[in-house]
């Protein structure tokens, strides 16, 4: 069965012969329907007037009259279409890499780039990566539209008392396939609206000065969960995120240490994740807290590495044990000639500094294989698992352990 079976594909290409060639390939591969547009403006009109939100996959050229491919991608993002995108172009690789980054920044679901001439095998291979949208894959505004309500600070604080819990996303050692830990991610189990993700409550808590209530709830619950995993024979550590707003309080290290020890977990079984810009404000107290936490045995992870302007400076300031490569560099690193050198240099830097390297946001086997070849230590992302509640995480770990995997799954 072809990956195209049952799909509707829109081809946006101003060159008649090239457009007709791609259309024939798609039909021969089993597409349910193939639609044609001669430029971006024609495609937008077609999607708005005839086929609103109906295309599963869009194959789009870049250099077109009236509306080029970049403007079309922006409009595609603005419509919040769930169509997957394939870029087809004869432009140089550096330019194509920039367009890939632009598409990702706009939130468009990009399957990849085909350098012209388009081949049947390359087209089929990219379309095989298309997945129907799930609630987890929706944009923030789409998720908000689904859950409808906005929550007041009072709503959030009441929920925080009893309804917030950590979900755990597994972290896997790439060379062996063994689960070595998990990142704890805050979720609100709302009695009416179900599982609410952090976009609904993080900003209100930070702006009101209440973020520590969430931080310490996650620290305690994650520590209790990790203690139970280790008692059950699962050799997993747990990672918890720290907010920038918390680090100016010089008593923070003592509070964190007491919370984790009070939950019965050894301090060296927990890693605290901080973004690379976290020490840019109130540098001295942040350094005091982080150094004290490391001295007491906590692991320290520099999260979202590569997205700020002072990455290397932070590595010299703070005694990190782990370097976490941001997903914007990881996704597509197997095929993107601009991304792979960045990932390679990040992994090499981690190795030279005696830090564990962690790649987040891995979604394809190709990227997993590339990271394994590069020598990255740990993987985290939807290829392994989405974030799971505690019972589902334990079941996943036990099943994974019993299967004795050698790869991503």
């Amino acid at each position: 069965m072809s990956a195209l079976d049952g799909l509707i594909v829109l081809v946006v290409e101003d060159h008649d012969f090239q457009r007709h060639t791609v259309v024939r390939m798609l039909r021969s591969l089993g597409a349910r329907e193939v639609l044609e547009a001669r430029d971006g403006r024609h495609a937008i009109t077609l999607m708005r007037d005839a086929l609103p939100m109906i295309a599963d996959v869009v194959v789009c050229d870049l250099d077109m009259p009236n509306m080029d491919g970049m403007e079309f991608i922006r409009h595609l993002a603005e419509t919040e279409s769930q169509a997957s995108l394939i870029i087809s172009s004869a432009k140089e690789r550096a330019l194509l890499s920039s367009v890939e980054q632009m598409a990702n920044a706009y939130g468009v679901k990009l399957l990849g780039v085909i350098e012209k001439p388009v081949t049947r095998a390359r087209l089929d291979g990219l379309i095989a990566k298309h997945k129907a949208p799930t609630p987890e894959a929706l944009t923030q505004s789409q998720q908000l539209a689904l859950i409808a309500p906005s929550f007041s600070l009072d709503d959030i604080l009441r929920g925080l008392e009893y309804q917030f819990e950590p979900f755990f996303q597994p972290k896997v050692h790439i060379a062996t396939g063994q689960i070595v830990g998990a990142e704890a991610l805050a979720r609100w189990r709302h009695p009416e609206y179900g599982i609410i993700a952090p976009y609904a409550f993080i900003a209100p808590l930070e702006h009101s000065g209440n973020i520590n209530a969430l931080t310490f709830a996650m620290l305690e619950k994650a520590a209790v969960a990790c203690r139970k995993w280790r008692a059950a024979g699962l050799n997993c550590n747990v990672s918890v995120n720290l907010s920038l707003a918390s680090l100016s309080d010089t008593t923070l290290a003592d509070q964190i240490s007491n919370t984790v020890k009070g939950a019965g977990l050894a301090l060296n079984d927990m890693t605290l994740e901080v973004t690379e810009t976290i020490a840019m404000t109130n540098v001295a107290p942040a350094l005091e807290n982080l150094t004290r936490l490391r001295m007491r045995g906590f692991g320290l992870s520099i999260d979202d590495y590569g997205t700020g302007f002072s990455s290397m400076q932070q590595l010299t300031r703070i005694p990190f044990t782990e370097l976490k490569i941001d997903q914007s560099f990881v996704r597509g690193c197997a095929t993107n000639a601009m991304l792979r050198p960045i990932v390679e240099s990040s992994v090499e830097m981690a190795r030279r500094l005696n830090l564990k390297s962690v790649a987040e946001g891995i979604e394809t086997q190709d990227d997993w294989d590339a990271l394994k070849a590069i020598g990255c230590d740990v993987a985290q992302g939807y290829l392994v698992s989405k974030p799971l509640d505690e019972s589902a995480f334990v079941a996943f770990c036990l099943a994974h352990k019993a299967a004795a995997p050698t790869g991503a799954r």
Side-chain angles (χ1 to χ4, degrees):
M1 177 182 292
S2 169
L4 267 164
D5 286 348
L7 297 184
I8 297 173
V9 185
L10 172 61
V11 180
V12 190
E13 167 67 66
D14 66 306
H15 192 286
D16 290 342
F17 177 76
Q18 293 181 20
R19 186 174 69 252
H20 296 155
T21 299
V22 172
V23 168
R24 284 196 298 272
M25 288 179 184
L26 291 166
R27 286 175 176 155
S28 71
L29 287 167
R32 186 176 66 164
E33 188 169 357
V34 183
L35 305 147
E36 303 178 48
R38 58 186 174 273
D39 57 37
R41 185 175 298 169
H42 183 201
I44 290 293
T45 301
L46 188 62
M47 294 180 73
R48 183 186 65 232
D49 297 342
L51 298 157
M53 305 292 282
I54 201 171
D56 298 298
V57 177
V58 177
V59 181
C60 182
D61 188 19
L62 291 180
D63 191 6
M64 299 180 290
N66 299 317
M67 181 189 288
D68 64 24
M70 289 176 288
E71 185 176 353
F72 170 72
I73 291 169
R74 169 161 51 83
H75 283 288
L76 191 67
E78 289 170 352
T79 66
E80 298 194 346
S81 167
Q82 284 299 293
S84 297
L85 174 68
I86 295 172
I87 295 171
S88 166
S89 178
K91 297 296 182 182
E92 62 270 22
R93 184 63 235 185
L95 187 149
L96 294 179
S97 179
S98 295
V99 176
E100 287 184 73
Q101 296 301 307
M102 183 204 77
N104 287 326
Y106 273 127
V108 173
K109 187 165 55 177
L110 182 66
L111 299 181
V113 174
I114 298 177
E115 298 183 37
K116 291 182 177 178
V118 177
T119 66
R120 191 176 186 274
R122 180 70 173 141
L123 199 59
D124 192 33
L126 286 182
I127 291 175
K129 295 163 62 177
H130 169 76
K131 296 179 181 178
T134 63
E136 292 85 0
L138 298 178
T139 65
Q140 176 174 320
S141 60
Q142 288 166 335
Q143 290 177 358
L144 286 170
L146 283 178
I147 63 172
S150 59
F151 300 102
S152 69
L153 179 62
D154 287 342
D155 291 334
I156 295 169
L157 292 175
R158 280 194 296 270
L160 188 54
E161 291 185 30
Y162 304 108
Q163 298 164 357
F164 279 59
E165 63 184 86
F167 272 41
F168 300 97
Q169 187 166 38
K171 299 166 77 171
V172 176
H173 190 263
I174 294 179
T176 65
Q178 294 179 336
I179 298 174
V180 293
E183 180 179 0
L185 300 162
R187 295 293 186 267
W188 182 1
R189 194 180 290 275
H190 196 282
E192 183 176 355
Y193 300 109
I195 303 300
I196 306 297
Y199 62 79
F201 52 81
I202 292 292
L205 289 172
E206 287 188 329
H207 294 158
S208 65
N210 287 287
I211 193 63
N212 276 358
L214 176 64
T215 297
F216 282 96
M218 291 303 105
L219 283 167
E220 182 177 9
K221 291 178 181 181
V224 168
C226 187
R227 185 198 69 208
K228 290 190 289 187
W229 306 340
R230 302 188 76 83
L234 297 175
N235 189 25
C236 292
N237 289 10
V238 68
S239 299
V240 179
N241 291 279
L242 288 187
S243 168
L244 170 62
S246 303
L247 281 173
S248 60
D249 179 358
T250 53
T251 69
L252 181 72
D254 289 336
Q255 295 178 59
I256 291 175
S257 301
N258 291 337
T259 297
V260 175
K261 285 191 288 189
L265 185 68
L267 302 189
N268 59 7
D269 287 335
M270 179 176 285
T271 296
L272 302 171
E273 297 194 9
V274 294
T275 61
E276 63 175 337
T277 56
I278 201 163
M280 290 303 294
T281 305
N282 295 325
V283 174
L287 288 174
E288 181 180 345
N289 274 314
L290 294 171
T291 304
R292 184 172 291 119
L293 288 165
R294 178 69 196 110
M295 186 168 60
R296 291 177 179 175
F298 286 96
L300 293 180
S301 176
I302 181 168
D303 197 8
D304 301 334
Y305 180 77
T307 59
F309 64 86
S310 58
S311 309
M312 293 185 185
Q313 185 182 42
Q314 301 311 328
L315 286 172
T316 65
R317 283 176 165 178
I318 300 169
F320 288 111
T321 58
E322 179 179 287
L323 185 152
K324 201 166 187 184
I325 307 167
D326 187 69
Q327 60 188 358
S328 63
F329 302 114
V330 171
R331 289 177 182 165
C333 69
T335 55
N336 189 317
M338 304 296 287
L339 294 179
R340 182 159 181 147
I342 295 172
V343 175
E344 288 176 338
S345 64
S346 298
V347 170
E348 177 61 21
M349 180 180 292
R351 185 181 299 115
R352 287 176 175 269
L353 294 174
N354 199 29
L355 307 179
K356 182 189 302 179
S357 55
V358 179
E360 61 178 341
I362 298 179
E363 296 183 349
T364 70
Q365 188 67 45
D366 286 345
D367 287 342
W368 171 284
D369 293 340
L371 288 157
K372 186 174 183 178
I374 290 168
C376 186
D377 296 315
V378 175
Q380 178 182 345
Y382 272 58
L383 180 66
V384 178
S385 173
K386 66 180 182 180
L388 304 166
D389 66 25
E390 185 184 351
S391 61
F393 173 76
V394 170
F396 177 86
C397 289
L398 293 173
H400 196 91
K401 186 176 182 180
T406 57
R409 294 175 184 258

